[in-house]
Amino acid sequence: MFESVGSLAAGPWIYTAVAVSVLLDVFLPVLPSGVLVITAGTAAAAGSGAATGRVPHGVPGIPALILCAATASLLGDLVAYRLAWRGGECLDRAIARSRRLTTAQERLGDALARGGGALVVLARFAPAGRSVVSFCAGAAHRRARDFLPWSALAGLSWAAYSVALGYYGARWLGATWLATGVSLAALFGAGAAAGFLMRRRPAS
């Protein structure tokens, strides 16, 4: 099973699949980018020689997977931010009609105004949180230098956490569907906790 799962990561296609999925899920949060990143981490562990001591040709490295996912996350955030920046009155009206989006925009503005961006990092783990934060930052015309460094940190944290879940799940439980399921449960658990903490944060 270790070798068969490891074969899923053979070849450069896995980087492309991860990058495209992570980049686009800011627009389509239903895309299973987290599932793909965890599966790639599991497959990398399976093919990395963790069990056999041999490293097959073409198996992606853990640092490369993390960098790929983190870079795609930042680029997706940047595209969403710029689109929202140029969205004009139509986007402003759409946000104003949603109490949730309006509150999120206010909280993000307060966080960035205080020189902190923990909310940006936290939102990266919450379901659809990345989309809300990126679009709200652009719609509110927040400065790129206030938003993008936190977006980069958020993407790196999420990517490292997701890949580590897949990798260490495979190391501890073997490269099986059980390991993948446990890793996904941990990712969804972190998302649920992040969503809860975001709702608990005061609006002012």
Side-chain angles (χ1 to χ4, degrees), residues 72-190:
S73 179
L74 176 60
L75 289 177
D77 289 355
L78 177 59
V79 172
Y81 168 84
R82 292 303 301 175
L83 287 175
W85 183 288
R86 298 178 180 180
E89 296 181 359
C90 291
L91 184 60
D92 291 339
R93 288 195 297 268
I95 292 177
R97 287 195 296 267
S98 170
R99 181 178 179 182
R100 181 180 180 184
L101 290 178
T102 301
T103 301
Q105 189 179 56
E106 292 173 353
R107 291 179 179 178
L108 176 63
D110 291 342
L112 295 178
R114 292 194 301 267
L119 182 63
V120 178
V121 178
L122 192 63
R124 185 61 185 87
F125 290 82
R130 173 193 181 197
S131 303
V132 171
V133 165
S134 298
F135 281 108
C136 285
H141 289 188
R142 300 296 172 185
R143 294 178 301 180
R145 66 184 181 184
D146 290 335
F147 170 67
L148 292 181
W150 289 104
S151 172
L153 178 60
L156 181 60
S157 301
W158 176 84
Y161 179 72
S162 301
V163 172
L165 284 178
Y167 182 81
Y168 287 107
R171 292 293 303 271
W172 295 333
L173 299 176
T176 64
W177 294 116
L178 173 62
T180 302
V182 170
S183 299
L184 289 175
L187 181 66
F188 294 147

Side-chain angles (χ1 to χ4, degrees), residues 1-15 18 35-68 159-160 162-172 174-177 179-180 183:
M1 175 62 77
F2 228 92
E3 289 78 8
S4 63
V5 176
S7 66
L8 295 174
W13 70 269
I14 190 65
Y15 295 112
V18 166
V35 175
L36 182 58
V37 173
I38 283 179
T39 303
T42 301
S48 66
T52 64
R54 300 186 299 272
V55 181
H57 176 72
V59 171
I62 296 301
L65 279 175
I66 293 174
L67 180 61
C68 176
S162 301
V163 172
L165 284 178
Y167 182 81
Y168 287 107
R171 292 293 303 271
W172 295 333
T176 64
W177 294 116
T180 302
S183 299

